[in-house]
Amino acid sequence: MSNIRFEQIEGKSLGFYTLITGLWILILAALGSVYYVEHYGHFVTGMNNRIVWGIPHVFALFLIIAASGALNVASISSVFNKKLYKSLSRLSGLVALSLLAGGLMVLVLDLGRIDRLIVAMTEYNFKSIFAWNIILYNGFFVVVAIYLWMMFERRMDKFSHKVGLVAFSWRLILTTGTGSIFGFLVARQAYDAVIMAPMFIIMSFSFGLASFILILMASYKWTNRPLGNIIVNRLRNLLGVFVAAVMYFVAVYHLGNLYLAENAGIENFILFDGGIYTKLFWYGQIILGGIVPMVLIYHPFTKGDRSMLGLSSVLIIIGGFVQLYVIIIGGQAYPMELFPGKEILEGYGDIAQYLVSLPEIFLGIGGIALAIIIVTFLVKFLAFLPESLEDDLTDSYHKG
Amino acid sequence: MNKTLNRRDFIKIMNATTTGVAIVASGITLTTFASVNEIPVTNKKRWGLLIDTNKLTETDIDGMVNACQQEQGWGTETHSTASQKPGWIKKLKVKDKATNKVSNLALMCQHCEEPPCVDVCPTNASMKREDGIVLVDKHLCIGCRYCMMACPYDARSFVHETLNNQKEHMPRGKGTVEACTMCVHKIDKGETPACVESVNSEAVIFGNLYDESSQINQTLKIIQSSQIRSDLNLNTGVRYSGI
């Protein structure tokens, strides 16, 4: 293991500066959108009193759960002692922190009163899962930062197993907390289910790894560093298992809901007659984000092709966004069951409408841009990436 | 000891005097404000409403909505769309699937004993008073809208735009959440909520649910009433009969 050489990237090429400039433009566009919404009020967004969490929440939650999933690669190395993954641990920690920062930026800037952030940090209702999540998110930064320190500092390496264990447990609790934001909402048929927590955990495994793979492949390609097949194939297989597991949980969630008569309405809505939400569920989440990536990952014709793995990762990410859109927006669009056994003729009970607005989209994309810019800058200034991940080296780590 | 007062001593004395006066004066002011509320808020009371849908006409409900708007000043937003405008009280028409009986009712914050909005609020902005009235502290609300996700009655609204000419007793604010306050400012003065006052029949009764001599308590003892989503065990302060 001692022969892994971590090196900063040079970061002087035209491509590097173009990337940084592009990302800055996206971040500035997001901040401009926030100013616009704050100045005029949230009436300029697509949200209303029924759809209170719009597309920014889809972006924010995607980034937050992908963040905890991105840490898995490091966990596999230090918690489960898989040496092959040790070379990727630093990047794994960095991607995790960056994605979380991007997600939190979107979440915070979507608040009605951003200026009261200090209130959110000083007033805690410990009964609120949301308040717990604020602690879990901030704690994640601290835990992963310490974890990275253990990895960077040779003398501290002996502690990395224990700190890794803490980080791994923390990320599981964090995603449980994020899933529970929905899982404990008793009022809404789409949410009130304990399975939301484990489902969010497995979603985080999948979305986080897909994001990690893309960042890994892009950084090695753009810096002309060797990236061997051994490590890529390992990640590919892992990704396949995670996608299958997400689909399994989605199936159990919907079948379980169908079994309960009280949830027949919402299930019909999502699975059969929910218009855009049904289309997004089947075409976006299941086919594009689940079945196609699985085929690309496991089919003999595409299995060894690295660009197909990239495509699978992109599709899994798109599918993940769609899945969160269906959960968050679809779950709100469907009316709550106010009067069981009765039909509401007027005043409530219609399907709520939501039209995504540009400022909301810019804000969400700004979160992704922030995550990528943090990774790009830090790999230039600190030695996160191994100089080489070619097969000869990784093979020896694996055996060693 | 015939010491003359120099400038430094003068400043010291003035500082001490000013601080002393400020402390005493603020104490007097606080006592004065505290004495405005002559009726203490305790858990010995539980304010509630009983809405009889058999007596309540559609005109009554329109009147209730208007009275609430007049009293609290919501609904004059100019930029928000219909689905973005606040609605503290709604008119609902409900049909029984088996009997086809149609009931009209007014739906507002149900002032739950176990309010989900209070449980989920990260900053304690959503809170329940000792007398059961559920409110939003506008200074603590960060506009996260989680309470709106959690409320089973769709009773809360988000203020989507800058507001002008607000009522003195109801400072509303852009970017925060609001809902029916049961006209707490009137109740604290011994009056009844505006929506109740607007109804000329006994279709809506307001009172202390715990007071055995109150009309609401007496009526609830002899008639069949229900809570909306009683399966959630929230023990609402607003009760309905006839549905």
Side-chain angles (χ1 to χ4, degrees):
Chain A
M1 285 312 293
S2 58
N3 49 3
I4 311 176
R5 275 174 53 87
F6 288 94
E7 284 281 340
Q8 292 106 308
I9 65 159
E10 207 170 47
K12 285 179 182 162
S13 65
L14 179 67
F16 180 83
Y17 286 111
T18 313
L19 178 66
I20 293 287
T21 312
L23 292 170
W24 266 120
I25 292 170
L26 292 176
I27 293 170
L28 288 175
L31 296 177
S33 299
V34 172
Y35 175 76
Y36 175 69
V37 173
E38 280 310 295
H39 182 72
Y40 288 100
H42 274 66
F43 74 87
V44 297
T45 69
M47 67 163 282
N48 50 59
N49 285 325
R50 288 275 308 278
I51 310 281
V52 298
W53 286 355
I55 199 90
H57 272 75
V58 174
F59 277 92
L61 285 172
F62 178 89
L63 288 166
I64 289 167
I65 64 173
S68 86
L71 194 69
N72 270 0
V73 174
S75 302
I76 295 169
S77 151
S78 50
V79 178
F80 303 107
N81 207 21
K82 298 282 182 197
K83 291 183 177 169
L84 179 69
Y85 290 91
K86 183 140 188 171
S87 50
L88 301 176
S89 303
R90 292 184 185 184
L91 183 66
S92 163
L94 173 63
V95 173
L97 286 186
S98 312
L99 290 172
L100 185 65
L104 289 185
M105 179 191 101
V106 179
L107 198 67
V108 163
L109 294 180
D110 188 48
L111 290 177
R113 294 294 304 254
I114 305 165
D115 54 315
R116 289 187 182 162
L117 206 56
I118 191 75
V119 176
M121 290 187 280
T122 50
E123 282 279 342
Y124 281 107
N125 169 18
F126 287 101
K127 240 182 155 182
S128 164
I129 292 166
F130 217 90
W132 276 102
N133 277 336
I134 295 170
I135 297 167
L136 288 170
Y137 298 154
N138 289 325
F140 189 78
F141 277 114
V142 177
V143 170
V144 178
I146 295 171
Y147 190 23
L148 280 172
W149 175 39
M150 302 294 123
M151 293 180 207
F152 270 84
E153 180 64 59
R154 197 179 290 267
R155 286 170 303 168
M156 294 294 182
D157 195 48
K158 57 188 172 204
F159 299 114
S160 64
H161 173 72
K162 280 183 183 152
V163 179
L165 199 61
V166 173
F168 180 63
S169 315
W170 197 280
R171 68 144 307 248
L172 288 180
I173 298 168
L174 183 144
T175 331
T176 304
T178 311
S180 302
I181 286 177
F182 299 95
F184 291 173
L185 286 177
V186 291
R188 293 178 188 268
Q189 270 67 33
Y191 302 143
D192 181 27
V194 179
I195 197 174
M196 298 295 275
M199 189 167 82
F200 268 59
I201 290 178
I202 202 66
M203 281 157 67
S204 84
F205 283 14
S206 172
F207 309 160
L209 186 58
S211 310
F212 179 82
I213 288 173
L214 283 180
I215 290 173
L216 178 74
M217 292 206 303
S219 28
Y220 273 73
K221 193 166 188 178
W222 293 341
T223 55
N224 293 320
R225 292 184 187 204
L227 176 64
N229 281 329
I230 292 179
I231 214 148
V232 171
N233 288 338
R234 276 299 189 94
L235 295 174
R236 183 204 312 273
N237 288 336
L238 203 56
L239 189 64
V241 173
F242 290 163
V243 176
V246 171
M247 293 182 71
Y248 165 77
F249 267 84
V250 170
V252 171
Y253 166 74
H254 286 290
L255 288 171
N257 258 358
L258 278 169
Y259 191 73
L260 303 168
E262 64 179 39
N263 293 327
I266 179 69
E267 283 307 318
N268 258 324
F269 177 67
I270 299 292
L271 302 180
F272 307 114
D273 62 5
I276 182 70
Y277 300 106
T278 303
K279 287 195 180 90
L280 283 173
F281 175 79
W282 288 111
Y283 299 127
Q285 180 183 332
I286 300 298
I287 297 176
L288 207 64
I291 294 171
V292 176
M294 290 272 282
V295 171
L296 290 176
I297 287 168
Y298 288 115
H299 197 280
F301 286 154
T302 47
K303 204 173 167 179
D305 191 334
R306 205 168 283 190
S307 54
M308 286 298 139
L309 175 62
L311 179 62
S312 308
S313 302
V314 170
L315 291 177
I316 289 165
I317 289 172
I318 293 173
F321 271 103
V322 172
Q323 182 169 3
L324 284 167
Y325 191 93
V326 172
I327 291 175
I328 297 171
I329 316 283
Q332 292 173 85
Y334 188 75
M336 286 179 290
E337 188 68 63
L338 283 180
F339 301 95
K342 293 185 169 61
E343 185 188 348
I344 302 177
L345 303 174
E346 262 178 54
Y348 184 77
D350 53 334
I351 304 296
Q353 302 299 314
Y354 174 70
L355 202 61
V356 180
S357 69
L358 269 182
E360 291 173 292
I361 293 176
F362 281 143
L363 173 58
I365 291 174
I368 299 177
L370 181 76
I372 300 174
I373 210 166
I374 293 173
V375 175
T376 317
F377 260 115
L378 286 180
V379 294
K380 179 178 161 70
F381 294 112
L382 287 170
F384 277 100
L385 293 171
E387 196 184 36
S388 168
L389 284 170
E390 60 188 333
D391 285 345
D392 287 352
L393 283 170
T394 46
D395 201 26
S396 68
Y397 306 153
H398 179 46
K399 285 171 185 154
Chain B
M1 296 298 288
N2 190 15
K3 196 180 167 191
T4 51
L5 192 69
N6 64 25
R7 194 170 60 177
R8 183 170 298 205
D9 290 335
F10 175 75
I11 291 170
K12 271 186 194 168
I13 292 165
M14 284 307 287
N15 275 345
T17 315
T18 315
T19 313
V21 169
I23 291 169
V24 174
S26 62
I28 293 168
T29 318
L30 285 174
T31 321
T32 316
F33 285 140
S35 64
V36 168
N37 272 345
E38 283 164 5
I39 311 162
V41 177
T42 69
N43 60 6
K44 302 276 182 271
K45 287 191 180 113
R46 172 93 200 273
W47 297 113
L49 291 172
L50 172 60
I51 298 174
D52 185 341
T53 58
N54 287 327
K55 292 180 188 161
L56 196 70
T57 65
E58 286 194 59
T59 320
D60 285 337
I61 303 173
D62 292 336
M64 290 172 79
V65 175
N66 284 335
C68 182
Q69 283 184 292
Q70 295 290 322
E71 184 66 33
Q72 307 285 16
W74 56 269
T76 53
E77 293 73 18
T78 48
H79 299 293
S80 305
T81 62
S83 60
Q84 290 175 327
K85 281 189 181 189
W88 292 23
I89 175 169
K90 282 197 269 289
K91 177 178 160 185
L92 254 65
K93 199 184 271 284
V94 180
K95 187 174 86 174
D96 190 300
K97 281 179 185 167
T99 62
N100 285 340
K101 184 199 169 191
V102 174
S103 312
N104 294 298
L105 58 98
L107 184 76
M108 66 287 275
C109 170
Q110 302 288 294
H111 298 280
C112 312
E113 187 179 15
E114 304 288 345
C117 56
V118 173
D119 284 349
V120 302
C121 176
T123 63
N124 291 312
S126 265
M127 43 117 176
K128 191 185 72 165
R129 292 205 333 175
E130 288 289 293
D131 57 5
I133 298 177
V134 176
L135 299 170
V136 180
D137 183 331
K138 300 293 166 51
H139 301 289
L140 289 181
C141 179
I142 56 171
C144 74
R145 287 104 70 193
Y146 196 22
C147 60
M148 297 175 77
M149 293 288 282
C151 173
Y153 305 105
D154 192 42
R156 294 200 152 188
S157 307
F158 182 76
V159 181
H160 286 75
E161 60 183 272
T162 307
L163 304 170
N164 296 308
N165 301 324
Q166 298 178 55
K167 304 282 178 186
E168 204 177 313
H169 59 264
M170 180 36 64
R172 305 166 57 222
K174 180 172 81 172
T176 62
V177 173
E178 56 185 26
C180 155
T181 63
M182 214 187 255
C183 283
V184 68
H185 62 287
K186 286 166 75 74
I187 292 177
D188 283 348
K189 286 189 279 185
E191 299 169 18
T192 49
C195 62
V196 182
E197 275 177 354
S198 74
V199 180
N200 289 323
S201 64
E202 291 205 333
V204 185
I205 303 171
F206 163 78
N208 179 4
L209 294 167
Y210 292 163
D211 178 3
E212 297 218 347
S213 63
S214 71
Q215 190 190 356
I216 191 167
N217 183 300
Q218 298 278 340
T219 317
L220 280 169
K221 273 182 184 156
I222 52 172
I223 62 153
Q224 193 81 29
S225 70
S226 59
Q227 302 173 35
I228 300 179
R229 289 303 307 266
S230 55
D231 57 313
L232 296 176
N233 290 334
L234 304 175
N235 191 16
T236 57
V238 182
R239 308 290 174 91
Y240 294 84
S241 64
I243 51 169

